[in-house]
Short mmCIF file of all heavy atoms in Angstrom, two decimals:
data_model
loop_
_atom_site.label_atom_id
_atom_site.label_comp_id
_atom_site.label_asym_id
_atom_site.label_seq_id
_atom_site.Cartn_x
_atom_site.Cartn_y
_atom_site.Cartn_z
N MET A 1 -246.59 -98.60 195.68
CA MET A 1 -246.45 -99.79 194.88
C MET A 1 -246.85 -100.99 195.74
O MET A 1 -246.46 -101.10 196.88
CB MET A 1 -244.99 -99.94 194.42
CG MET A 1 -244.77 -101.12 193.52
SD MET A 1 -243.08 -101.23 192.88
CE MET A 1 -243.03 -99.85 191.78
N SER A 2 -247.63 -101.90 195.18
CA SER A 2 -248.09 -103.05 195.94
C SER A 2 -246.94 -104.02 196.19
O SER A 2 -245.93 -104.03 195.48
CB SER A 2 -249.21 -103.78 195.20
OG SER A 2 -248.70 -104.45 194.07
N ASP A 3 -247.09 -104.86 197.21
CA ASP A 3 -246.07 -105.84 197.55
C ASP A 3 -245.80 -106.79 196.39
O ASP A 3 -244.66 -107.16 196.13
CB ASP A 3 -246.47 -106.64 198.79
CG ASP A 3 -246.38 -105.83 200.06
OD1 ASP A 3 -245.71 -104.77 200.04
OD2 ASP A 3 -246.96 -106.25 201.06
N ILE A 4 -246.84 -107.21 195.68
CA ILE A 4 -246.65 -108.15 194.58
C ILE A 4 -245.87 -107.50 193.44
O ILE A 4 -245.03 -108.14 192.82
CB ILE A 4 -247.99 -108.76 194.09
CG1 ILE A 4 -247.74 -109.97 193.19
CG2 ILE A 4 -248.81 -107.75 193.34
CD1 ILE A 4 -247.15 -111.14 193.87
N LYS A 5 -246.12 -106.23 193.16
CA LYS A 5 -245.36 -105.54 192.11
C LYS A 5 -243.90 -105.41 192.51
O LYS A 5 -243.00 -105.62 191.70
CB LYS A 5 -245.96 -104.17 191.81
CG LYS A 5 -247.26 -104.24 191.04
CD LYS A 5 -247.79 -102.86 190.74
CE LYS A 5 -249.12 -102.95 190.02
NZ LYS A 5 -249.68 -101.62 189.77
N LEU A 6 -243.65 -105.10 193.78
CA LEU A 6 -242.29 -105.01 194.28
C LEU A 6 -241.60 -106.37 194.22
O LEU A 6 -240.45 -106.49 193.82
CB LEU A 6 -242.30 -104.47 195.71
CG LEU A 6 -240.96 -104.09 196.31
CD1 LEU A 6 -240.23 -103.08 195.43
CD2 LEU A 6 -241.17 -103.52 197.70
N PHE A 7 -242.33 -107.40 194.56
CA PHE A 7 -241.83 -108.77 194.48
C PHE A 7 -241.42 -109.12 193.05
O PHE A 7 -240.34 -109.63 192.81
CB PHE A 7 -242.92 -109.73 194.98
CG PHE A 7 -242.67 -111.18 194.72
CD1 PHE A 7 -241.78 -111.89 195.51
CD2 PHE A 7 -243.34 -111.84 193.72
CE1 PHE A 7 -241.55 -113.22 195.27
CE2 PHE A 7 -243.12 -113.18 193.47
CZ PHE A 7 -242.22 -113.88 194.26
N LEU A 8 -242.26 -108.81 192.10
CA LEU A 8 -242.00 -109.14 190.70
C LEU A 8 -240.80 -108.38 190.14
O LEU A 8 -240.10 -108.89 189.26
CB LEU A 8 -243.24 -108.89 189.85
CG LEU A 8 -244.41 -109.82 190.11
CD1 LEU A 8 -245.65 -109.35 189.35
CD2 LEU A 8 -244.08 -111.26 189.76
N LEU A 9 -240.54 -107.19 190.63
CA LEU A 9 -239.39 -106.42 190.16
C LEU A 9 -238.06 -107.09 190.48
O LEU A 9 -237.07 -106.88 189.78
CB LEU A 9 -239.40 -105.02 190.79
CG LEU A 9 -240.42 -104.04 190.25
CD1 LEU A 9 -240.41 -102.76 191.09
CD2 LEU A 9 -240.15 -103.73 188.80
N HIS A 10 -238.03 -107.91 191.52
CA HIS A 10 -236.78 -108.51 191.98
C HIS A 10 -236.56 -109.93 191.47
O HIS A 10 -235.59 -110.57 191.87
CB HIS A 10 -236.74 -108.50 193.51
CG HIS A 10 -236.69 -107.13 194.08
ND1 HIS A 10 -235.58 -106.33 194.01
CD2 HIS A 10 -237.64 -106.40 194.70
CE1 HIS A 10 -235.83 -105.18 194.57
NE2 HIS A 10 -237.08 -105.18 195.00
N LEU A 11 -237.40 -110.42 190.60
CA LEU A 11 -237.26 -111.79 190.10
C LEU A 11 -236.27 -111.87 188.96
O LEU A 11 -236.18 -110.97 188.13
CB LEU A 11 -238.61 -112.30 189.60
CG LEU A 11 -239.73 -112.41 190.63
CD1 LEU A 11 -241.00 -112.88 189.95
CD2 LEU A 11 -239.35 -113.34 191.75
N ASP A 12 -235.54 -112.97 188.91
CA ASP A 12 -234.67 -113.17 187.76
C ASP A 12 -235.50 -113.78 186.62
O ASP A 12 -236.65 -114.20 186.81
CB ASP A 12 -233.44 -114.01 188.09
CG ASP A 12 -233.75 -115.44 188.50
OD1 ASP A 12 -234.80 -115.97 188.12
OD2 ASP A 12 -232.92 -116.04 189.18
N ASP A 13 -234.94 -113.84 185.43
CA ASP A 13 -235.68 -114.30 184.25
C ASP A 13 -236.17 -115.73 184.39
O ASP A 13 -237.27 -116.06 183.93
CB ASP A 13 -234.83 -114.16 182.99
CG ASP A 13 -234.62 -112.71 182.60
OD1 ASP A 13 -235.44 -111.86 183.01
OD2 ASP A 13 -233.65 -112.42 181.89
N HIS A 14 -235.38 -116.60 184.99
CA HIS A 14 -235.79 -118.00 185.15
C HIS A 14 -237.05 -118.11 186.01
O HIS A 14 -238.00 -118.81 185.65
CB HIS A 14 -234.65 -118.82 185.77
CG HIS A 14 -235.02 -120.22 186.07
ND1 HIS A 14 -235.24 -121.16 185.08
CD2 HIS A 14 -235.23 -120.86 187.24
CE1 HIS A 14 -235.57 -122.32 185.65
NE2 HIS A 14 -235.56 -122.15 186.96
N ILE A 15 -237.07 -117.42 187.12
CA ILE A 15 -238.23 -117.45 188.02
C ILE A 15 -239.44 -116.81 187.34
O ILE A 15 -240.56 -117.30 187.46
CB ILE A 15 -237.92 -116.76 189.36
CG1 ILE A 15 -236.78 -117.48 190.09
CG2 ILE A 15 -239.15 -116.67 190.22
CD1 ILE A 15 -237.09 -118.90 190.48
N ARG A 16 -239.24 -115.73 186.60
CA ARG A 16 -240.35 -115.10 185.86
C ARG A 16 -240.96 -116.09 184.87
O ARG A 16 -242.18 -116.15 184.72
CB ARG A 16 -239.87 -113.86 185.11
CG ARG A 16 -239.63 -112.69 186.01
CD ARG A 16 -239.14 -111.51 185.20
NE ARG A 16 -238.55 -110.56 186.12
CZ ARG A 16 -238.63 -109.27 185.97
NH1 ARG A 16 -239.23 -108.75 184.94
NH2 ARG A 16 -238.09 -108.46 186.85
N THR A 17 -240.11 -116.85 184.18
CA THR A 17 -240.59 -117.85 183.23
C THR A 17 -241.42 -118.92 183.94
O THR A 17 -242.50 -119.28 183.48
CB THR A 17 -239.41 -118.50 182.48
OG1 THR A 17 -238.68 -117.48 181.80
CG2 THR A 17 -239.89 -119.54 181.49
N ILE A 18 -240.91 -119.41 185.06
CA ILE A 18 -241.65 -120.42 185.84
C ILE A 18 -243.00 -119.88 186.27
O ILE A 18 -244.03 -120.56 186.13
CB ILE A 18 -240.83 -120.85 187.08
CG1 ILE A 18 -239.63 -121.68 186.65
CG2 ILE A 18 -241.69 -121.62 188.06
CD1 ILE A 18 -238.64 -121.95 187.76
N LEU A 19 -243.02 -118.66 186.80
CA LEU A 19 -244.29 -118.09 187.25
C LEU A 19 -245.25 -117.83 186.09
O LEU A 19 -246.46 -118.02 186.23
CB LEU A 19 -244.04 -116.81 188.06
CG LEU A 19 -243.33 -117.01 189.40
CD1 LEU A 19 -243.07 -115.67 190.07
CD2 LEU A 19 -244.11 -117.93 190.32
N ALA A 20 -244.73 -117.41 184.95
CA ALA A 20 -245.58 -117.18 183.78
C ALA A 20 -246.18 -118.50 183.29
O ALA A 20 -247.37 -118.56 182.98
CB ALA A 20 -244.77 -116.52 182.66
N GLU A 21 -245.37 -119.55 183.23
CA GLU A 21 -245.88 -120.86 182.80
C GLU A 21 -246.91 -121.41 183.78
O GLU A 21 -247.93 -121.97 183.39
CB GLU A 21 -244.72 -121.85 182.64
CG GLU A 21 -243.82 -121.55 181.46
CD GLU A 21 -242.57 -122.41 181.43
OE1 GLU A 21 -242.33 -123.19 182.38
OE2 GLU A 21 -241.81 -122.28 180.45
N THR A 22 -246.64 -121.25 185.06
CA THR A 22 -247.57 -121.71 186.09
C THR A 22 -248.88 -120.96 186.01
O THR A 22 -249.96 -121.55 186.13
CB THR A 22 -246.94 -121.56 187.49
OG1 THR A 22 -245.72 -122.31 187.54
CG2 THR A 22 -247.87 -122.05 188.57
N THR A 23 -248.80 -119.66 185.79
CA THR A 23 -250.02 -118.84 185.65
C THR A 23 -250.81 -119.28 184.42
O THR A 23 -252.04 -119.38 184.48
CB THR A 23 -249.66 -117.35 185.55
OG1 THR A 23 -248.95 -116.98 186.73
CG2 THR A 23 -250.90 -116.50 185.43
N GLU A 24 -250.13 -119.56 183.33
CA GLU A 24 -250.81 -120.01 182.11
C GLU A 24 -251.51 -121.34 182.33
O GLU A 24 -252.64 -121.54 181.90
CB GLU A 24 -249.80 -120.13 180.98
CG GLU A 24 -250.43 -120.45 179.64
CD GLU A 24 -249.41 -120.46 178.52
OE1 GLU A 24 -248.52 -119.58 178.51
OE2 GLU A 24 -249.50 -121.36 177.68
N GLN A 25 -250.86 -122.25 183.04
CA GLN A 25 -251.43 -123.58 183.27
C GLN A 25 -252.54 -123.59 184.31
O GLN A 25 -253.50 -124.34 184.20
CB GLN A 25 -250.33 -124.55 183.72
CG GLN A 25 -249.33 -124.86 182.65
CD GLN A 25 -248.14 -125.65 183.19
OE1 GLN A 25 -248.06 -125.98 184.36
NE2 GLN A 25 -247.21 -125.95 182.30
N ASN A 26 -252.41 -122.76 185.35
CA ASN A 26 -253.33 -122.81 186.49
C ASN A 26 -254.20 -121.58 186.66
O ASN A 26 -255.04 -121.55 187.54
CB ASN A 26 -252.54 -123.04 187.78
CG ASN A 26 -251.79 -124.34 187.76
OD1 ASN A 26 -252.39 -125.40 187.81
ND2 ASN A 26 -250.48 -124.27 187.66
N GLY A 27 -253.94 -120.54 185.87
CA GLY A 27 -254.72 -119.32 185.99
C GLY A 27 -254.20 -118.37 187.06
O GLY A 27 -254.66 -117.24 187.15
N ASP A 28 -253.25 -118.82 187.87
CA ASP A 28 -252.70 -117.99 188.93
C ASP A 28 -251.52 -118.71 189.55
O ASP A 28 -251.19 -119.81 189.16
CB ASP A 28 -253.76 -117.73 190.01
CG ASP A 28 -253.60 -116.36 190.68
OD1 ASP A 28 -252.50 -115.78 190.58
OD2 ASP A 28 -254.55 -115.91 191.31
N VAL A 29 -250.88 -118.08 190.52
CA VAL A 29 -249.83 -118.72 191.30
C VAL A 29 -250.25 -118.70 192.76
O VAL A 29 -251.05 -117.86 193.18
CB VAL A 29 -248.45 -118.04 191.13
CG1 VAL A 29 -247.93 -118.19 189.73
CG2 VAL A 29 -248.49 -116.59 191.54
N LEU A 30 -249.70 -119.62 193.51
CA LEU A 30 -249.96 -119.69 194.95
C LEU A 30 -248.61 -119.76 195.65
O LEU A 30 -247.84 -120.70 195.42
CB LEU A 30 -250.80 -120.92 195.28
CG LEU A 30 -251.15 -121.16 196.74
CD1 LEU A 30 -251.95 -119.98 197.30
CD2 LEU A 30 -251.94 -122.45 196.89
N LEU A 31 -248.30 -118.74 196.44
CA LEU A 31 -247.03 -118.68 197.14
C LEU A 31 -247.18 -119.18 198.56
O LEU A 31 -248.19 -118.92 199.22
CB LEU A 31 -246.48 -117.25 197.15
CG LEU A 31 -246.27 -116.60 195.79
CD1 LEU A 31 -245.77 -115.17 195.97
CD2 LEU A 31 -245.30 -117.41 194.95
N SER A 32 -246.16 -119.90 199.02
CA SER A 32 -246.16 -120.44 200.37
C SER A 32 -244.81 -120.12 201.01
O SER A 32 -243.77 -120.23 200.37
CB SER A 32 -246.35 -121.95 200.31
OG SER A 32 -246.11 -122.55 201.55
N MET A 33 -244.84 -119.73 202.28
CA MET A 33 -243.60 -119.48 203.00
C MET A 33 -243.62 -120.29 204.28
O MET A 33 -244.62 -120.30 205.01
CB MET A 33 -243.43 -118.01 203.34
CG MET A 33 -242.07 -117.73 203.95
SD MET A 33 -241.75 -115.98 204.23
CE MET A 33 -242.42 -115.80 205.86
N GLY A 34 -242.54 -121.00 204.54
CA GLY A 34 -242.43 -121.78 205.76
C GLY A 34 -241.08 -121.54 206.39
O GLY A 34 -240.12 -121.17 205.72
N GLY A 35 -241.01 -121.77 207.68
CA GLY A 35 -239.75 -121.60 208.40
C GLY A 35 -239.46 -122.80 209.28
O GLY A 35 -240.36 -123.41 209.82
N VAL A 36 -238.17 -123.12 209.39
CA VAL A 36 -237.72 -124.23 210.21
C VAL A 36 -236.55 -123.75 211.07
O VAL A 36 -235.63 -123.11 210.57
CB VAL A 36 -237.24 -125.41 209.33
CG1 VAL A 36 -236.72 -126.53 210.18
CG2 VAL A 36 -238.36 -125.88 208.43
N GLN A 37 -236.60 -124.07 212.36
CA GLN A 37 -235.49 -123.76 213.25
C GLN A 37 -234.88 -125.08 213.68
O GLN A 37 -235.45 -125.82 214.48
CB GLN A 37 -235.94 -122.96 214.46
CG GLN A 37 -234.79 -122.53 215.33
CD GLN A 37 -235.22 -121.59 216.43
OE1 GLN A 37 -236.40 -121.37 216.64
NE2 GLN A 37 -234.27 -121.05 217.15
N PRO A 38 -233.70 -125.43 213.13
CA PRO A 38 -233.12 -126.73 213.38
C PRO A 38 -232.76 -127.01 214.84
O PRO A 38 -233.04 -128.06 215.36
CB PRO A 38 -231.87 -126.78 212.50
CG PRO A 38 -231.66 -125.42 211.99
CD PRO A 38 -232.88 -124.62 212.25
N GLU A 39 -232.13 -126.08 215.53
CA GLU A 39 -231.76 -126.23 216.93
C GLU A 39 -231.86 -124.88 217.62
O GLU A 39 -231.77 -123.84 216.98
CB GLU A 39 -230.34 -126.76 217.06
CG GLU A 39 -230.15 -128.15 216.52
CD GLU A 39 -228.71 -128.64 216.67
OE1 GLU A 39 -227.96 -128.06 217.48
OE2 GLU A 39 -228.36 -129.59 215.98
N LYS A 40 -232.03 -124.92 218.93
CA LYS A 40 -232.11 -123.66 219.68
C LYS A 40 -230.89 -122.80 219.44
O LYS A 40 -229.77 -123.27 219.38
CB LYS A 40 -232.23 -123.94 221.17
CG LYS A 40 -233.63 -124.10 221.65
CD LYS A 40 -233.68 -124.07 223.15
CE LYS A 40 -235.13 -124.05 223.59
NZ LYS A 40 -235.26 -124.06 225.03
N GLY A 41 -231.14 -121.51 219.26
CA GLY A 41 -230.07 -120.56 219.09
C GLY A 41 -229.61 -120.39 217.65
O GLY A 41 -228.91 -119.44 217.34
N ASN A 42 -229.97 -121.29 216.77
CA ASN A 42 -229.58 -121.17 215.37
C ASN A 42 -230.63 -120.37 214.61
O ASN A 42 -231.79 -120.27 215.03
CB ASN A 42 -229.42 -122.54 214.72
CG ASN A 42 -228.22 -123.28 215.24
OD1 ASN A 42 -227.24 -122.68 215.66
ND2 ASN A 42 -228.30 -124.59 215.24
N GLU A 43 -230.21 -119.81 213.49
CA GLU A 43 -231.12 -119.03 212.66
C GLU A 43 -232.18 -119.94 212.05
O GLU A 43 -231.93 -121.11 211.77
CB GLU A 43 -230.35 -118.35 211.53
CG GLU A 43 -229.36 -117.33 212.01
CD GLU A 43 -228.58 -116.72 210.86
OE1 GLU A 43 -228.46 -117.35 209.81
OE2 GLU A 43 -228.07 -115.61 211.05
N LYS A 44 -233.36 -119.36 211.84
CA LYS A 44 -234.41 -120.08 211.15
C LYS A 44 -234.17 -120.02 209.65
O LYS A 44 -233.67 -119.02 209.14
CB LYS A 44 -235.79 -119.49 211.45
CG LYS A 44 -236.27 -119.78 212.84
CD LYS A 44 -237.68 -119.31 213.03
CE LYS A 44 -238.15 -119.66 214.44
NZ LYS A 44 -239.54 -119.28 214.65
N LEU A 45 -234.52 -121.08 208.97
CA LEU A 45 -234.45 -121.12 207.51
C LEU A 45 -235.86 -120.89 206.99
O LEU A 45 -236.78 -121.65 207.32
CB LEU A 45 -233.92 -122.47 207.02
CG LEU A 45 -233.98 -122.68 205.51
CD1 LEU A 45 -233.04 -121.71 204.79
CD2 LEU A 45 -233.65 -124.12 205.16
N TYR A 46 -236.03 -119.84 206.19
CA TYR A 46 -237.32 -119.56 205.56
C TYR A 46 -237.23 -119.88 204.08
O TYR A 46 -236.24 -119.55 203.43
CB TYR A 46 -237.70 -118.09 205.75
CG TYR A 46 -238.07 -117.77 207.18
CD1 TYR A 46 -237.12 -117.31 208.08
CD2 TYR A 46 -239.38 -117.96 207.63
CE1 TYR A 46 -237.47 -117.03 209.39
CE2 TYR A 46 -239.73 -117.69 208.94
CZ TYR A 46 -238.76 -117.22 209.82
OH TYR A 46 -239.11 -116.97 211.11
N VAL A 47 -238.26 -120.54 203.58
CA VAL A 47 -238.31 -120.94 202.18
C VAL A 47 -239.59 -120.39 201.56
O VAL A 47 -240.68 -120.58 202.11
CB VAL A 47 -238.26 -122.48 202.02
CG1 VAL A 47 -238.37 -122.87 200.57
CG2 VAL A 47 -237.00 -123.03 202.65
N LEU A 48 -239.46 -119.71 200.44
CA LEU A 48 -240.59 -119.21 199.68
C LEU A 48 -240.71 -120.06 198.43
O LEU A 48 -239.74 -120.21 197.68
CB LEU A 48 -240.37 -117.74 199.29
CG LEU A 48 -241.47 -117.09 198.45
CD1 LEU A 48 -242.75 -116.94 199.28
CD2 LEU A 48 -241.02 -115.74 197.93
N ARG A 49 -241.89 -120.67 198.22
CA ARG A 49 -242.05 -121.51 197.04
C ARG A 49 -243.41 -121.27 196.38
O ARG A 49 -244.33 -120.77 197.02
CB ARG A 49 -241.88 -122.98 197.37
CG ARG A 49 -242.98 -123.56 198.20
CD ARG A 49 -242.70 -125.02 198.55
NE ARG A 49 -243.86 -125.62 199.15
CZ ARG A 49 -244.77 -126.34 198.51
NH1 ARG A 49 -244.64 -126.58 197.23
NH2 ARG A 49 -245.82 -126.82 199.14
N GLU A 50 -243.48 -121.65 195.11
CA GLU A 50 -244.73 -121.59 194.37
C GLU A 50 -245.34 -122.99 194.50
O GLU A 50 -244.70 -123.98 194.17
CB GLU A 50 -244.47 -121.23 192.91
CG GLU A 50 -245.69 -120.76 192.15
CD GLU A 50 -246.72 -121.85 191.94
OE1 GLU A 50 -246.34 -122.94 191.48
OE2 GLU A 50 -247.90 -121.62 192.24
N VAL A 51 -246.57 -123.07 194.97
CA VAL A 51 -247.18 -124.34 195.33
C VAL A 51 -247.53 -125.21 194.14
O VAL A 51 -247.23 -126.41 194.12
CB VAL A 51 -248.43 -124.10 196.22
CG1 VAL A 51 -249.15 -125.39 196.52
CG2 VAL A 51 -248.03 -123.39 197.50
N PHE A 52 -248.16 -124.65 193.10
CA PHE A 52 -248.60 -125.47 191.97
C PHE A 52 -247.44 -126.16 191.26
O PHE A 52 -247.51 -127.33 190.92
CB PHE A 52 -249.38 -124.63 190.95
CG PHE A 52 -250.67 -124.06 191.48
CD1 PHE A 52 -250.94 -122.71 191.36
CD2 PHE A 52 -251.61 -124.86 192.10
CE1 PHE A 52 -252.12 -122.17 191.83
CE2 PHE A 52 -252.79 -124.34 192.59
CZ PHE A 52 -253.05 -122.99 192.46
N SER A 53 -246.34 -125.44 191.06
CA SER A 53 -245.19 -126.01 190.36
C SER A 53 -244.22 -126.70 191.32
O SER A 53 -243.42 -127.53 190.89
CB SER A 53 -244.44 -124.92 189.59
OG SER A 53 -243.82 -124.01 190.49
N GLY A 54 -244.26 -126.32 192.59
CA GLY A 54 -243.34 -126.88 193.58
C GLY A 54 -241.97 -126.23 193.56
O GLY A 54 -241.07 -126.66 194.29
N ASN A 55 -241.79 -125.20 192.76
CA ASN A 55 -240.49 -124.55 192.65
C ASN A 55 -240.19 -123.66 193.84
O ASN A 55 -241.04 -122.89 194.29
CB ASN A 55 -240.42 -123.70 191.37
CG ASN A 55 -240.26 -124.55 190.15
OD1 ASN A 55 -239.26 -125.23 189.99
ND2 ASN A 55 -241.26 -124.54 189.29
N VAL A 56 -238.96 -123.76 194.34
CA VAL A 56 -238.49 -122.89 195.41
C VAL A 56 -238.03 -121.59 194.76
O VAL A 56 -237.20 -121.59 193.86
CB VAL A 56 -237.33 -123.55 196.19
CG1 VAL A 56 -236.74 -122.56 197.19
CG2 VAL A 56 -237.82 -124.80 196.90
N LEU A 57 -238.60 -120.48 195.21
CA LEU A 57 -238.26 -119.18 194.66
C LEU A 57 -237.12 -118.52 195.42
O LEU A 57 -236.33 -117.78 194.85
CB LEU A 57 -239.48 -118.27 194.67
CG LEU A 57 -240.73 -118.82 193.95
CD1 LEU A 57 -241.88 -117.83 194.08
CD2 LEU A 57 -240.42 -119.13 192.50
N ALA A 58 -237.04 -118.80 196.73
CA ALA A 58 -235.97 -118.22 197.55
C ALA A 58 -235.88 -118.98 198.85
O ALA A 58 -236.86 -119.57 199.31
CB ALA A 58 -236.27 -116.75 197.82
N ALA A 59 -234.71 -118.95 199.44
CA ALA A 59 -234.49 -119.53 200.76
C ALA A 59 -233.48 -118.63 201.47
O ALA A 59 -232.52 -118.16 200.86
CB ALA A 59 -233.96 -120.94 200.66
N LYS A 60 -233.72 -118.38 202.74
CA LYS A 60 -232.85 -117.45 203.46
C LYS A 60 -232.85 -117.78 204.95
O LYS A 60 -233.89 -118.05 205.53
CB LYS A 60 -233.34 -116.02 203.24
CG LYS A 60 -232.40 -114.96 203.75
CD LYS A 60 -232.85 -113.59 203.28
CE LYS A 60 -231.82 -112.55 203.67
NZ LYS A 60 -232.21 -111.23 203.19
N ASN A 61 -231.67 -117.73 205.57
CA ASN A 61 -231.55 -117.84 207.02
C ASN A 61 -231.82 -116.48 207.63
O ASN A 61 -231.28 -115.47 207.18
CB ASN A 61 -230.15 -118.30 207.42
CG ASN A 61 -229.89 -119.74 207.09
OD1 ASN A 61 -230.79 -120.57 207.17
ND2 ASN A 61 -228.68 -120.05 206.72
N MET A 62 -232.65 -116.46 208.69
CA MET A 62 -232.96 -115.19 209.35
C MET A 62 -233.04 -115.41 210.85
O MET A 62 -233.58 -116.42 211.30
CB MET A 62 -234.27 -114.62 208.82
CG MET A 62 -234.24 -114.37 207.33
SD MET A 62 -235.74 -113.61 206.72
CE MET A 62 -235.35 -111.92 207.07
N LYS A 63 -232.54 -114.45 211.62
CA LYS A 63 -232.56 -114.56 213.07
C LYS A 63 -233.91 -114.17 213.67
O LYS A 63 -234.36 -114.75 214.63
CB LYS A 63 -231.46 -113.69 213.68
CG LYS A 63 -230.08 -114.20 213.41
CD LYS A 63 -229.05 -113.34 214.08
CE LYS A 63 -227.66 -113.87 213.75
NZ LYS A 63 -226.62 -113.11 214.41
N SER A 64 -234.55 -113.18 213.11
CA SER A 64 -235.75 -112.61 213.71
C SER A 64 -237.00 -113.03 212.97
O SER A 64 -237.05 -112.99 211.75
CB SER A 64 -235.65 -111.09 213.70
OG SER A 64 -236.88 -110.51 213.99
N GLU A 65 -238.04 -113.43 213.72
CA GLU A 65 -239.31 -113.74 213.08
C GLU A 65 -239.92 -112.50 212.44
O GLU A 65 -240.56 -112.58 211.41
CB GLU A 65 -240.29 -114.34 214.10
CG GLU A 65 -239.94 -115.75 214.47
CD GLU A 65 -240.97 -116.37 215.37
OE1 GLU A 65 -242.17 -116.05 215.22
OE2 GLU A 65 -240.59 -117.19 216.22
N ALA A 66 -239.73 -111.34 213.06
CA ALA A 66 -240.26 -110.10 212.50
C ALA A 66 -239.61 -109.81 211.15
O ALA A 66 -240.26 -109.30 210.24
CB ALA A 66 -240.04 -108.94 213.45
N ALA A 67 -238.34 -110.15 211.01
CA ALA A 67 -237.64 -109.91 209.75
C ALA A 67 -238.20 -110.79 208.63
O ALA A 67 -238.15 -110.43 207.46
CB ALA A 67 -236.15 -110.19 209.91
N SER A 68 -238.78 -111.92 209.00
CA SER A 68 -239.32 -112.83 207.99
C SER A 68 -240.52 -112.24 207.26
O SER A 68 -240.84 -112.66 206.16
CB SER A 68 -239.70 -114.17 208.61
OG SER A 68 -240.83 -114.02 209.44
N GLU A 69 -241.17 -111.26 207.86
CA GLU A 69 -242.34 -110.65 207.22
C GLU A 69 -241.98 -109.99 205.91
O GLU A 69 -242.78 -109.95 204.98
CB GLU A 69 -242.99 -109.63 208.17
CG GLU A 69 -243.59 -110.27 209.40
CD GLU A 69 -244.11 -109.25 210.38
OE1 GLU A 69 -244.09 -108.05 210.09
OE2 GLU A 69 -244.54 -109.68 211.46
N SER A 70 -240.77 -109.48 205.79
CA SER A 70 -240.35 -108.81 204.56
C SER A 70 -239.50 -109.73 203.70
O SER A 70 -238.97 -109.33 202.68
CB SER A 70 -239.57 -107.54 204.88
OG SER A 70 -238.42 -107.85 205.60
N PHE A 71 -239.39 -110.98 204.08
CA PHE A 71 -238.55 -111.95 203.37
C PHE A 71 -238.86 -112.05 201.88
O PHE A 71 -237.97 -112.00 201.05
CB PHE A 71 -238.71 -113.33 204.04
CG PHE A 71 -238.20 -114.47 203.22
CD1 PHE A 71 -236.85 -114.69 203.08
CD2 PHE A 71 -239.08 -115.34 202.59
CE1 PHE A 71 -236.36 -115.75 202.35
CE2 PHE A 71 -238.61 -116.40 201.87
CZ PHE A 71 -237.24 -116.61 201.74
N ALA A 72 -240.10 -112.18 201.52
CA ALA A 72 -240.48 -112.39 200.13
C ALA A 72 -240.02 -111.25 199.24
O ALA A 72 -239.58 -111.48 198.12
CB ALA A 72 -241.99 -112.56 200.01
N VAL A 73 -240.09 -110.05 199.70
CA VAL A 73 -239.71 -108.91 198.89
C VAL A 73 -238.21 -108.68 198.90
O VAL A 73 -237.61 -108.44 197.85
CB VAL A 73 -240.43 -107.63 199.39
CG1 VAL A 73 -239.94 -106.41 198.64
CG2 VAL A 73 -241.94 -107.80 199.22
N GLN A 74 -237.57 -108.83 200.04
CA GLN A 74 -236.16 -108.47 200.16
C GLN A 74 -235.20 -109.53 199.67
O GLN A 74 -234.11 -109.22 199.25
CB GLN A 74 -235.82 -108.12 201.60
CG GLN A 74 -236.51 -106.86 202.05
CD GLN A 74 -236.16 -106.51 203.48
OE1 GLN A 74 -235.48 -107.25 204.16
NE2 GLN A 74 -236.66 -105.38 203.94
N SER A 75 -235.57 -110.81 199.76
CA SER A 75 -234.60 -111.85 199.48
C SER A 75 -234.53 -112.25 198.04
O SER A 75 -233.63 -112.96 197.63
CB SER A 75 -234.90 -113.08 200.33
OG SER A 75 -236.13 -113.64 199.92
N ILE A 76 -235.46 -111.83 197.22
CA ILE A 76 -235.45 -112.25 195.82
C ILE A 76 -234.83 -111.18 194.96
O ILE A 76 -234.99 -110.04 195.12
CB ILE A 76 -236.87 -112.59 195.37
CG1 ILE A 76 -237.34 -113.77 196.17
CG2 ILE A 76 -236.93 -112.87 193.89
CD1 ILE A 76 -238.70 -114.25 195.83
#
């Protein structure tokens, strides 16, 4: 199963509606993930958002940068 299909399986109805509307308006969606580490030793905050609509799809604190690679699929 592709990552995008796995991602879509974990969405709630509100997020599915947002992504469907965004796809209808723009022809597609564009996902962006960024991370911020506020101070040394603290967990990084990763945020997954849809760029065209500006909606935040998920946000999660994570200790490991390697763990962030699976953030989009696991946190939603």
Side-chain angles (χ1 to χ4, degrees):
M1 182 176 291
S2 72
D3 288 343
I4 194 67
K5 286 181 182 178
L6 190 55
F7 169 77
L8 292 172
L9 286 174
H10 295 288
L11 297 178
D12 65 24
D13 290 338
H14 175 70
I15 298 297
R16 285 179 197 215
T17 301
I18 289 170
L19 293 177
E21 290 172 355
T22 302
T23 301
E24 186 176 319
Q25 292 171 0
N26 299 291
D28 212 341
V29 294
L30 179 60
L31 302 178
S32 169
M33 187 175 89
V36 177
Q37 185 173 7
E39 295 180 18
K40 271 192 173 179
N42 291 332
E43 295 178 337
K44 288 187 178 183
L45 172 66
Y46 289 92
V47 178
L48 178 68
R49 70 183 190 96
E50 197 292 311
V51 175
F52 297 128
S53 68
N55 285 296
V56 173
L57 305 178
K60 189 171 186 178
N61 288 326
M62 301 184 84
K63 290 182 181 182
S64 167
E65 286 186 34
S68 70
E69 294 175 4
S70 62
F71 165 74
V73 174
Q74 293 181 355
S75 66
I76 296 181

